[in-house]
Amino acid sequence: MASQLSRGLLVLALLLAGTAAFAQAPEREAEREAMVAAVQFQARIAAPETGEERLDTAVLQAMRRVPRHAFLPDALQPAAYMDTPLPVLPGATVSQPYIVALMLHLAGLESEQDALVVGVGAGYLTALLAEMNLSVRAMEYEPEIAAYAQAVFDELDYGAIELREGDGYYGWPERQRRFEAIIVRLAIPDIPPMLTAQLAPGGRLVAPVGQPDGQQWLTVVERDGEGRLHSRRVLEVRFTPLPGGIRL
């Protein structure tokens, strides 16, 4: 009970700190522009490995508009627009901007498509999808992390995001649902068929795939018009594992 109370107090403190910092901080457009420039530079550097030198303009425009600092507690505000991952809660991070941009680029997004995020984390990537005018659903296993992300979505008026608690490894609870984009934010040992079953024809799933103590690859799985799945590795990465129950 004491442990649960301590965790609850920590979450509340971080929520209040993050909200206050957002309310008092300037808009910081110049910092976001510098962050986008750093992302574009990193994309050019990594292009020989990824094959992706120019990232989707719509993704970069969304990054110019979404305040990354709003997803961070007060202590991390000065680092908000560095091209680096930042911790928020135990098990929750705001991912490196370049990796976020690359994942969204690889998903091949278009306005008004349906997207699923597995492992919402602090919520930054999910908010970018909403900013790009996609219909967004998100699954988060940890209640404290889900509460943190939901509070930021509410503060930024991303009320259209549908966030649920649960194990996203198995997809969205309504099994008949199909998504043009599925983005898994944490590492999974393999691509679960329960998840690819919810991928629409022409849709793409982007996920870090590999063992926690071994190699992980940012991987794209695409379903063609005839229902066949095609996958490719893009970039070696390092993510913490997706939490959840027994993996079937």
Side-chain angles (χ1 to χ4, degrees):
M1 179 65 72
S3 176
Q4 291 179 349
L5 179 59
S6 299
R7 292 177 70 186
L9 291 173
L10 173 62
V11 171
L12 178 60
L14 287 172
L15 284 172
L16 292 175
T19 301
F22 175 59
Q24 297 169 5
E27 287 299 319
R28 304 176 70 170
E29 293 95 338
E31 290 180 76
R32 286 199 291 278
E33 188 62 44
M35 178 187 71
V36 169
V39 166
Q40 292 174 303
F41 177 76
Q42 184 61 36
R44 291 192 293 272
I45 295 297
E49 187 172 359
T50 66
E52 308 290 345
E53 181 176 356
R54 296 182 181 275
L55 301 179
D56 187 345
T57 300
V59 173
L60 299 178
Q61 288 290 75
M63 296 182 84
R64 290 183 171 100
R65 295 191 297 267
V66 174
R68 189 173 187 248
H69 63 275
F71 297 85
L72 299 170
D74 188 46
L76 295 176
Q77 291 286 313
Y81 295 102
M82 296 175 62
D83 188 28
T84 185
L86 295 168
V88 176
L89 292 171
T93 62
V94 176
S95 299
Q96 180 187 355
Y98 166 65
I99 294 297
V100 170
L102 179 61
M103 293 177 81
L104 296 182
H105 169 83
L106 293 170
L109 304 164
E110 295 182 13
S111 178
E112 300 184 359
Q113 287 184 329
D114 289 331
L116 172 65
V117 178
V118 176
V120 72
Y124 178 62
L125 181 149
T126 305
L128 288 170
L129 290 169
E131 187 69 29
M132 294 171 66
N133 196 35
L134 277 82
S135 176
V136 187
R137 289 165 177 81
M139 295 289 294
E140 174 54 54
Y141 188 77
E142 300 291 350
E144 295 91 344
I145 296 174
Y148 184 98
Q150 187 64 63
V152 183
F153 295 155
D154 292 344
E155 178 69 23
L156 298 181
D157 199 25
Y158 288 121
I161 296 172
E162 186 175 354
L163 173 59
R164 294 191 190 179
E165 294 176 21
D167 193 348
Y169 184 85
Y170 299 100
W172 190 248
E174 283 73 40
R175 300 301 181 194
Q176 74 279 8
R177 190 86 201 182
R178 295 293 181 272
F179 298 94
E180 281 81 20
I182 299 176
I183 300 174
V184 184
R185 286 191 59 261
L186 296 170
I188 50 180
D190 49 33
I191 302 291
M194 300 76 70
L195 205 51
T196 55
Q198 294 190 337
L199 195 60
R204 296 182 183 180
L205 181 151
V206 181
V209 179
Q211 300 298 328
D213 55 351
Q215 277 190 316
Q216 297 174 7
W217 289 89
L218 191 60
T219 302
V220 180
V221 179
E222 184 170 5
R223 184 181 295 281
D224 66 23
E226 297 180 0
R228 294 171 299 194
L229 297 174
H230 308 270
S231 66
R232 64 183 178 100
R233 292 176 170 179
V234 176
L235 183 70
E236 190 169 359
V237 291
R238 175 61 54 191
F239 282 75
T240 55
L242 181 73
I246 298 172
R247 300 309 193 201
L248 302 177

